[in-house]
PDB file of all heavy atoms in Angstrom:
ATOM      1  N   GLN A   1       6.836 -10.284  21.039  1.00 41.00           N
ATOM      2  CA  GLN A   1       6.627 -11.245  19.972  1.00 41.00           C
ATOM      3  C   GLN A   1       5.573 -10.767  19.085  1.00 41.00           C
ATOM      4  O   GLN A   1       5.625 -10.869  17.815  1.00 41.00           O
ATOM      5  CB  GLN A   1       6.276 -12.601  20.552  1.00 41.00           C
ATOM      6  CG  GLN A   1       6.049 -13.715  19.499  1.00 41.00           C
ATOM      7  CD  GLN A   1       5.735 -15.028  20.058  1.00 41.00           C
ATOM      8  OE1 GLN A   1       5.774 -15.185  21.295  1.00 41.00           O
ATOM      9  NE2 GLN A   1       5.441 -15.987  19.269  1.00 41.00           N
ATOM     10  N   THR A   2       4.465 -10.228  19.614  1.00 39.00           N
ATOM     11  CA  THR A   2       3.350  -9.712  18.820  1.00 39.00           C
ATOM     12  C   THR A   2       3.810  -8.553  17.978  1.00 39.00           C
ATOM     13  O   THR A   2       3.378  -8.435  16.806  1.00 39.00           O
ATOM     14  CB  THR A   2       2.169  -9.329  19.752  1.00 39.00           C
ATOM     15  OG1 THR A   2       1.773 -10.470  20.497  1.00 39.00           O
ATOM     16  CG2 THR A   2       0.983  -8.808  18.911  1.00 39.00           C
ATOM     17  N   GLU A   3       4.617  -7.758  18.523  1.00 43.00           N
ATOM     18  CA  GLU A   3       5.149  -6.623  17.874  1.00 43.00           C
ATOM     19  C   GLU A   3       5.900  -7.073  16.557  1.00 43.00           C
ATOM     20  O   GLU A   3       5.841  -6.486  15.439  1.00 43.00           O
ATOM     21  CB  GLU A   3       6.085  -5.740  18.684  1.00 43.00           C
ATOM     22  CG  GLU A   3       5.405  -4.984  19.769  1.00 43.00           C
ATOM     23  CD  GLU A   3       4.726  -3.760  19.280  1.00 43.00           C
ATOM     24  OE1 GLU A   3       4.717  -3.503  18.053  1.00 43.00           O
ATOM     25  OE2 GLU A   3       4.121  -3.003  20.089  1.00 43.00           O
ATOM     26  N   GLN A   4       6.686  -8.189  16.759  1.00 45.00           N
ATOM     27  CA  GLN A   4       7.389  -8.698  15.617  1.00 45.00           C
ATOM     28  C   GLN A   4       6.461  -9.323  14.574  1.00 45.00           C
ATOM     29  O   GLN A   4       6.683  -9.190  13.362  1.00 45.00           O
ATOM     30  CB  GLN A   4       8.427  -9.741  16.127  1.00 45.00           C
ATOM     31  CG  GLN A   4       9.541  -9.151  16.929  1.00 45.00           C
ATOM     32  CD  GLN A   4      10.425 -10.241  17.544  1.00 45.00           C
ATOM     33  OE1 GLN A   4      10.142 -11.403  17.412  1.00 45.00           O
ATOM     34  NE2 GLN A   4      11.427  -9.815  18.225  1.00 45.00           N
ATOM     35  N   GLU A   5       5.406  -9.974  15.120  1.00 50.00           N
ATOM     36  CA  GLU A   5       4.451 -10.610  14.220  1.00 50.00           C
ATOM     37  C   GLU A   5       3.769  -9.524  13.349  1.00 50.00           C
ATOM     38  O   GLU A   5       3.529  -9.685  12.164  1.00 50.00           O
ATOM     39  CB  GLU A   5       3.376 -11.378  15.009  1.00 50.00           C
ATOM     40  CG  GLU A   5       3.965 -12.671  15.647  1.00 50.00           C
ATOM     41  CD  GLU A   5       2.986 -13.333  16.553  1.00 50.00           C
ATOM     42  OE1 GLU A   5       1.917 -12.740  16.795  1.00 50.00           O
ATOM     43  OE2 GLU A   5       3.309 -14.393  17.068  1.00 50.00           O
ATOM     44  N   ILE A   6       3.421  -8.346  13.999  1.00 60.00           N
ATOM     45  CA  ILE A   6       2.836  -7.250  13.230  1.00 60.00           C
ATOM     46  C   ILE A   6       3.975  -6.338  12.750  1.00 60.00           C
ATOM     47  O   ILE A   6       4.357  -5.350  13.411  1.00 60.00           O
ATOM     48  CB  ILE A   6       1.855  -6.446  14.115  1.00 60.00           C
ATOM     49  CG1 ILE A   6       0.764  -7.416  14.688  1.00 60.00           C
ATOM     50  CG2 ILE A   6       1.194  -5.330  13.355  1.00 60.00           C
ATOM     51  CD1 ILE A   6      -0.214  -6.740  15.614  1.00 60.00           C
ATOM     52  N   LYS A   7       4.603  -6.776  11.692  1.00 73.00           N
ATOM     53  CA  LYS A   7       5.801  -6.074  11.252  1.00 73.00           C
ATOM     54  C   LYS A   7       5.434  -4.650  10.733  1.00 73.00           C
ATOM     55  O   LYS A   7       6.250  -3.683  10.907  1.00 73.00           O
ATOM     56  CB  LYS A   7       6.439  -6.910  10.100  1.00 73.00           C
ATOM     57  CG  LYS A   7       7.772  -6.385   9.622  1.00 73.00           C
ATOM     58  CD  LYS A   7       8.361  -7.268   8.555  1.00 73.00           C
ATOM     59  CE  LYS A   7       9.709  -6.718   8.041  1.00 73.00           C
ATOM     60  NZ  LYS A   7      10.260  -7.645   7.033  1.00 73.00           N
ATOM     61  N   PHE A   8       4.311  -4.519   9.986  1.00 79.00           N
ATOM     62  CA  PHE A   8       3.904  -3.185   9.465  1.00 79.00           C
ATOM     63  C   PHE A   8       2.568  -2.836  10.134  1.00 79.00           C
ATOM     64  O   PHE A   8       1.613  -3.613  10.067  1.00 79.00           O
ATOM     65  CB  PHE A   8       3.752  -3.275   7.997  1.00 79.00           C
ATOM     66  CG  PHE A   8       5.114  -3.612   7.274  1.00 79.00           C
ATOM     67  CD1 PHE A   8       5.289  -4.844   6.752  1.00 79.00           C
ATOM     68  CD2 PHE A   8       6.089  -2.653   7.191  1.00 79.00           C
ATOM     69  CE1 PHE A   8       6.499  -5.151   6.082  1.00 79.00           C
ATOM     70  CE2 PHE A   8       7.295  -2.948   6.566  1.00 79.00           C
ATOM     71  CZ  PHE A   8       7.523  -4.223   6.022  1.00 79.00           C
ATOM     72  N   GLY A   9       2.570  -1.735  10.836  1.00 77.00           N
ATOM     73  CA  GLY A   9       1.509  -1.411  11.782  1.00 77.00           C
ATOM     74  C   GLY A   9       0.282  -0.755  11.227  1.00 77.00           C
ATOM     75  O   GLY A   9      -0.793  -0.744  11.911  1.00 77.00           O
ATOM     76  N   TYR A  10       0.320  -0.186  10.003  1.00 81.00           N
ATOM     77  CA  TYR A  10      -0.883   0.579   9.511  1.00 81.00           C
ATOM     78  C   TYR A  10      -1.413  -0.092   8.248  1.00 81.00           C
ATOM     79  O   TYR A  10      -0.779  -0.213   7.282  1.00 81.00           O
ATOM     80  CB  TYR A  10      -0.466   2.010   9.227  1.00 81.00           C
ATOM     81  CG  TYR A  10       0.005   2.789  10.474  1.00 81.00           C
ATOM     82  CD1 TYR A  10       1.312   2.859  10.816  1.00 81.00           C
ATOM     83  CD2 TYR A  10      -0.924   3.436  11.267  1.00 81.00           C
ATOM     84  CE1 TYR A  10       1.688   3.538  11.965  1.00 81.00           C
ATOM     85  CE2 TYR A  10      -0.600   4.113  12.406  1.00 81.00           C
ATOM     86  CZ  TYR A  10       0.747   4.162  12.713  1.00 81.00           C
ATOM     87  OH  TYR A  10       1.175   4.841  13.851  1.00 81.00           O
ATOM     88  N   CYS A  11      -2.701  -0.438   8.408  1.00 82.00           N
ATOM     89  CA  CYS A  11      -3.447  -0.914   7.195  1.00 82.00           C
ATOM     90  C   CYS A  11      -3.939   0.305   6.476  1.00 82.00           C
ATOM     91  O   CYS A  11      -4.762   1.089   6.957  1.00 82.00           O
ATOM     92  CB  CYS A  11      -4.627  -1.764   7.617  1.00 82.00           C
ATOM     93  SG  CYS A  11      -5.677  -2.297   6.291  1.00 82.00           S
ATOM     94  N   THR A  12      -3.401   0.523   5.239  1.00 86.00           N
ATOM     95  CA  THR A  12      -3.641   1.732   4.501  1.00 86.00           C
ATOM     96  C   THR A  12      -4.390   1.447   3.204  1.00 86.00           C
ATOM     97  O   THR A  12      -3.963   0.575   2.425  1.00 86.00           O
ATOM     98  CB  THR A  12      -2.335   2.460   4.186  1.00 86.00           C
ATOM     99  OG1 THR A  12      -1.564   2.648   5.348  1.00 86.00           O
ATOM    100  CG2 THR A  12      -2.539   3.736   3.452  1.00 86.00           C
ATOM    101  N   GLU A  13      -5.549   2.087   3.016  1.00 83.00           N
ATOM    102  CA  GLU A  13      -6.332   1.871   1.791  1.00 83.00           C
ATOM    103  C   GLU A  13      -6.729   3.220   1.220  1.00 83.00           C
ATOM    104  O   GLU A  13      -6.986   4.195   2.010  1.00 83.00           O
ATOM    105  CB  GLU A  13      -7.608   1.089   2.158  1.00 83.00           C
ATOM    106  CG  GLU A  13      -7.379  -0.367   2.537  1.00 83.00           C
ATOM    107  CD  GLU A  13      -8.704  -1.059   2.838  1.00 83.00           C
ATOM    108  OE1 GLU A  13      -9.423  -0.632   3.749  1.00 83.00           O
ATOM    109  OE2 GLU A  13      -9.010  -2.068   2.158  1.00 83.00           O
ATOM    110  N   PHE A  14      -6.784   3.288  -0.112  1.00 86.00           N
ATOM    111  CA  PHE A  14      -7.239   4.517  -0.756  1.00 86.00           C
ATOM    112  C   PHE A  14      -7.487   4.183  -2.235  1.00 86.00           C
ATOM    113  O   PHE A  14      -7.086   3.107  -2.737  1.00 86.00           O
ATOM    114  CB  PHE A  14      -6.259   5.676  -0.641  1.00 86.00           C
ATOM    115  CG  PHE A  14      -4.878   5.390  -0.998  1.00 86.00           C
ATOM    116  CD1 PHE A  14      -4.478   5.304  -2.359  1.00 86.00           C
ATOM    117  CD2 PHE A  14      -3.928   5.126  -0.018  1.00 86.00           C
ATOM    118  CE1 PHE A  14      -3.154   5.076  -2.692  1.00 86.00           C
ATOM    119  CE2 PHE A  14      -2.587   4.814  -0.373  1.00 86.00           C
ATOM    120  CZ  PHE A  14      -2.200   4.829  -1.737  1.00 86.00           C
ATOM    121  N   ILE A  15      -8.196   5.145  -2.898  1.00 86.00           N
ATOM    122  CA  ILE A  15      -8.464   5.025  -4.359  1.00 86.00           C
ATOM    123  C   ILE A  15      -7.724   6.197  -5.029  1.00 86.00           C
ATOM    124  O   ILE A  15      -7.840   7.334  -4.564  1.00 86.00           O
ATOM    125  CB  ILE A  15      -9.956   5.079  -4.637  1.00 86.00           C
ATOM    126  CG1 ILE A  15     -10.600   3.781  -4.104  1.00 86.00           C
ATOM    127  CG2 ILE A  15     -10.205   5.197  -6.111  1.00 86.00           C
ATOM    128  CD1 ILE A  15     -12.100   3.738  -4.263  1.00 86.00           C
ATOM    129  N   ILE A  16      -7.006   5.916  -6.080  1.00 89.00           N
ATOM    130  CA  ILE A  16      -6.381   6.979  -6.851  1.00 89.00           C
ATOM    131  C   ILE A  16      -7.360   7.271  -8.133  1.00 89.00           C
ATOM    132  O   ILE A  16      -7.595   6.333  -8.861  1.00 89.00           O
ATOM    133  CB  ILE A  16      -4.964   6.590  -7.445  1.00 89.00           C
ATOM    134  CG1 ILE A  16      -4.098   6.058  -6.293  1.00 89.00           C
ATOM    135  CG2 ILE A  16      -4.340   7.729  -8.170  1.00 89.00           C
ATOM    136  CD1 ILE A  16      -2.820   5.549  -6.757  1.00 89.00           C
ATOM    137  N   VAL A  17      -7.735   8.489  -8.154  1.00 88.00           N
ATOM    138  CA  VAL A  17      -8.481   8.928  -9.366  1.00 88.00           C
ATOM    139  C   VAL A  17      -7.395   9.392 -10.401  1.00 88.00           C
ATOM    140  O   VAL A  17      -6.795  10.431 -10.206  1.00 88.00           O
ATOM    141  CB  VAL A  17      -9.445  10.080  -9.082  1.00 88.00           C
ATOM    142  CG1 VAL A  17     -10.226  10.454 -10.366  1.00 88.00           C
ATOM    143  CG2 VAL A  17     -10.441   9.636  -7.987  1.00 88.00           C
ATOM    144  N   LEU A  18      -7.141   8.552 -11.359  1.00 87.00           N
ATOM    145  CA  LEU A  18      -5.954   8.740 -12.231  1.00 87.00           C
ATOM    146  C   LEU A  18      -6.087   9.953 -13.165  1.00 87.00           C
ATOM    147  O   LEU A  18      -7.154  10.220 -13.706  1.00 87.00           O
ATOM    148  CB  LEU A  18      -5.752   7.493 -13.067  1.00 87.00           C
ATOM    149  CG  LEU A  18      -5.483   6.205 -12.283  1.00 87.00           C
ATOM    150  CD1 LEU A  18      -5.527   5.026 -13.243  1.00 87.00           C
ATOM    151  CD2 LEU A  18      -4.118   6.289 -11.574  1.00 87.00           C
ATOM    152  N   ASN A  19      -4.935  10.653 -13.276  1.00 88.00           N
ATOM    153  CA  ASN A  19      -4.881  11.677 -14.289  1.00 88.00           C
ATOM    154  C   ASN A  19      -4.794  11.096 -15.628  1.00 88.00           C
ATOM    155  O   ASN A  19      -5.407  11.580 -16.619  1.00 88.00           O
ATOM    156  CB  ASN A  19      -3.616  12.604 -14.052  1.00 88.00           C
ATOM    157  CG  ASN A  19      -3.743  13.362 -12.752  1.00 88.00           C
ATOM    158  OD1 ASN A  19      -4.831  13.704 -12.292  1.00 88.00           O
ATOM    159  ND2 ASN A  19      -2.594  13.592 -12.135  1.00 88.00           N
ATOM    160  N   ASN A  20      -4.044  10.000 -15.762  1.00 87.00           N
ATOM    161  CA  ASN A  20      -3.897   9.233 -17.014  1.00 87.00           C
ATOM    162  C   ASN A  20      -3.861   7.727 -16.667  1.00 87.00           C
ATOM    163  O   ASN A  20      -3.389   7.355 -15.509  1.00 87.00           O
ATOM    164  CB  ASN A  20      -2.578   9.611 -17.726  1.00 87.00           C
ATOM    165  CG  ASN A  20      -2.583  11.083 -18.129  1.00 87.00           C
ATOM    166  OD1 ASN A  20      -3.359  11.509 -18.970  1.00 87.00           O
ATOM    167  ND2 ASN A  20      -1.654  11.845 -17.496  1.00 87.00           N
ATOM    168  N   PRO A  21      -4.275   6.879 -17.573  1.00 86.00           N
ATOM    169  CA  PRO A  21      -4.224   5.474 -17.278  1.00 86.00           C
ATOM    170  C   PRO A  21      -2.769   5.095 -16.972  1.00 86.00           C
ATOM    171  O   PRO A  21      -1.795   5.596 -17.608  1.00 86.00           O
ATOM    172  CB  PRO A  21      -4.738   4.814 -18.560  1.00 86.00           C
ATOM    173  CG  PRO A  21      -5.599   5.879 -19.196  1.00 86.00           C
ATOM    174  CD  PRO A  21      -4.931   7.173 -18.864  1.00 86.00           C
ATOM    175  N   LEU A  22      -2.578   4.114 -16.036  1.00 83.00           N
ATOM    176  CA  LEU A  22      -1.240   3.633 -15.687  1.00 83.00           C
ATOM    177  C   LEU A  22      -0.771   2.638 -16.755  1.00 83.00           C
ATOM    178  O   LEU A  22      -1.471   1.758 -17.172  1.00 83.00           O
ATOM    179  CB  LEU A  22      -1.250   2.940 -14.349  1.00 83.00           C
ATOM    180  CG  LEU A  22      -1.460   3.795 -13.100  1.00 83.00           C
ATOM    181  CD1 LEU A  22      -1.435   2.844 -11.844  1.00 83.00           C
ATOM    182  CD2 LEU A  22      -0.372   4.832 -12.971  1.00 83.00           C
ATOM    183  N   SER A  23       0.428   2.844 -17.240  1.00 84.00           N
ATOM    184  CA  SER A  23       1.036   1.857 -18.111  1.00 84.00           C
ATOM    185  C   SER A  23       1.423   0.631 -17.334  1.00 84.00           C
ATOM    186  O   SER A  23       1.479   0.707 -16.078  1.00 84.00           O
ATOM    187  CB  SER A  23       2.281   2.461 -18.833  1.00 84.00           C
ATOM    188  OG  SER A  23       3.340   2.620 -17.826  1.00 84.00           O
ATOM    189  N   GLU A  24       1.658  -0.465 -18.028  1.00 80.00           N
ATOM    190  CA  GLU A  24       2.064  -1.742 -17.318  1.00 80.00           C
ATOM    191  C   GLU A  24       3.305  -1.468 -16.492  1.00 80.00           C
ATOM    192  O   GLU A  24       3.429  -2.020 -15.351  1.00 80.00           O
ATOM    193  CB  GLU A  24       2.309  -2.797 -18.347  1.00 80.00           C
ATOM    194  CG  GLU A  24       2.596  -4.193 -17.783  1.00 80.00           C
ATOM    195  CD  GLU A  24       2.648  -5.268 -18.786  1.00 80.00           C
ATOM    196  OE1 GLU A  24       2.037  -5.112 -19.886  1.00 80.00           O
ATOM    197  OE2 GLU A  24       3.324  -6.308 -18.530  1.00 80.00           O
ATOM    198  N   GLN A  25       4.295  -0.758 -16.999  1.00 86.00           N
ATOM    199  CA  GLN A  25       5.506  -0.469 -16.330  1.00 86.00           C
ATOM    200  C   GLN A  25       5.332   0.411 -15.131  1.00 86.00           C
ATOM    201  O   GLN A  25       5.898   0.185 -14.015  1.00 86.00           O
ATOM    202  CB  GLN A  25       6.563   0.189 -17.262  1.00 86.00           C
ATOM    203  CG  GLN A  25       7.920   0.357 -16.631  1.00 86.00           C
ATOM    204  CD  GLN A  25       8.548  -1.012 -16.292  1.00 86.00           C
ATOM    205  OE1 GLN A  25       8.533  -2.003 -17.109  1.00 86.00           O
ATOM    206  NE2 GLN A  25       9.068  -1.097 -15.063  1.00 86.00           N
ATOM    207  N   GLU A  26       4.462   1.460 -15.262  1.00 86.00           N
ATOM    208  CA  GLU A  26       4.122   2.296 -14.070  1.00 86.00           C
ATOM    209  C   GLU A  26       3.471   1.504 -12.973  1.00 86.00           C
ATOM    210  O   GLU A  26       3.772   1.723 -11.752  1.00 86.00           O
ATOM    211  CB  GLU A  26       3.208   3.453 -14.573  1.00 86.00           C
ATOM    212  CG  GLU A  26       3.935   4.513 -15.362  1.00 86.00           C
ATOM    213  CD  GLU A  26       3.017   5.604 -15.884  1.00 86.00           C
ATOM    214  OE1 GLU A  26       1.856   5.247 -16.217  1.00 86.00           O
ATOM    215  OE2 GLU A  26       3.417   6.820 -15.832  1.00 86.00           O
TER     216      GLU A  26
END
C-alpha cells in the first residue's frame, strides 16, 4: 500500500543555467 502511495520514488531537484531565456511555450 505504501509503495502505491509513493507512486514516484525519486525527489529530483536541480537548477538549469539557461543558454537562452525560456519562451512561454518552451
Side-chain angles (χ1 to χ4, degrees):
Q1 181 179 355
T2 301
E3 290 283 4
Q4 290 173 359
E5 289 172 355
I6 304 177
K7 186 177 179 181
F8 299 105
Y10 295 95
C11 176
T12 306
E13 293 180 301
F14 51 81
I15 292 174
I16 308 173
V17 180
L18 297 171
N19 295 329
N20 298 294
L22 290 180
S23 68
E24 186 175 333
Q25 188 60 49
E26 284 177 321

